Amino acid sequence: RRAGDASGAILKLTRASGGGDRTTITTNVEYSQLDALLRNVPARSTGTGAGDVADESGWSPFPGNCNQLIVSLPEYVQVLRTSGGVMPEFVNPKYVDASRSSFKSPTRLECMMQDLPWLLPADANVSFTSFDADLFYSPVKNSLADARKKAASGLSAACAATGESSLFRFNAALMRAAGAQVESGAERSVS
């Protein structure tokens, strides 16, 4: 996951103090909340909240979340019994720019499946598996105009063209893993 990417991140959150039966939780933090959260907690190395920034590898230290869940059925059934199947609600505004003064589209009320860990018993095991984002994560969610802006800022364009290209790269990687000789195409820029 690139720092600043419009994808949620997996974090282990720890309660500094206060009540409740849970002191830590491994969960998704939605990208629209991530930077603000990280700016309000001390960074490990500097002691100040730096926000969602890349580490020395060039990647975010927080793995991305692509919303693929594997849930143990007994715990899931217990959550359904306790919650009646109702998930917490979340307002997910989309802004025109970083000033956050104008909405890009109507804001909607959502409930997110990745909030399931908050409903699980405090002793439930929650973890994640990390895969190479270049092979396994290529959303198609941005218009061409937005994709240009994202690409210019060093983020994934996350548009139809990059999604199709990612599929071809992934298929070539699978074929190479099976022993086939697959040549790489020449890299080109399109404006």
Side-chain angles (χ1 to χ4, degrees):
R1 178 181 173 280
R2 296 268 181 220
D5 250 352
S7 62
I10 305 294
L11 277 75
K12 182 175 184 177
L13 303 177
T14 303
R15 182 190 320 260
S17 62
D21 61 352
R22 185 188 308 259
T23 57
T24 65
I25 185 171
T26 301
T27 191
N28 176 76
V29 174
E30 190 63 12
Y31 67 89
S32 59
Q33 300 173 331
L34 181 62
D35 190 65
L37 172 72
L38 295 174
R39 287 183 185 280
N40 285 292
V41 295
R44 283 177 258 188
S45 59
T46 63
T48 60
D52 186 19
V53 296
D55 63 15
E56 57 279 350
S57 73
W59 292 89
S60 169
F62 306 104
N65 177 23
C66 62
N67 299 335
Q68 302 296 315
L69 306 179
I70 300 172
V71 182
S72 171
L73 285 179
E75 285 83 357
Y76 184 62
V77 168
Q78 182 58 42
V79 166
L80 290 175
R81 284 189 180 128
T82 304
S83 70
V86 176
M87 292 292 290
E89 295 171 333
F90 170 75
V91 176
N92 191 6
K94 308 287 187 205
Y95 296 101
V96 172
D97 56 33
S99 72
R100 299 172 68 107
S101 59
S102 299
F103 293 118
K104 181 177 183 176
S105 59
T107 298
R108 61 189 183 266
L109 191 61
E110 302 176 9
C111 55
M112 299 188 301
M113 63 185 212
Q114 61 265 36
D115 279 346
L116 180 63
W118 292 100
L119 301 178
L120 292 171
D123 62 347
N125 291 322
V126 176
S127 62
F128 69 94
T129 301
S130 186
F131 293 100
D132 182 347
D134 286 340
L135 288 178
F136 293 99
Y137 184 69
S138 186
V140 175
K141 62 182 185 175
N142 291 323
S143 68
L144 288 177
D146 289 343
R148 277 189 196 97
K149 291 176 190 172
K150 296 246 182 223
S153 67
L155 298 173
S156 169
C159 66
T162 57
E164 184 177 35
S165 175
S166 294
L167 177 64
F168 292 142
R169 274 197 324 274
F170 175 74
N171 289 338
L174 285 179
M175 292 173 69
R176 286 185 194 105
Q181 291 184 357
V182 180
E183 293 181 26
S184 295
E187 201 166 301
R188 299 184 312 173
S189 292
V190 179
S191 55

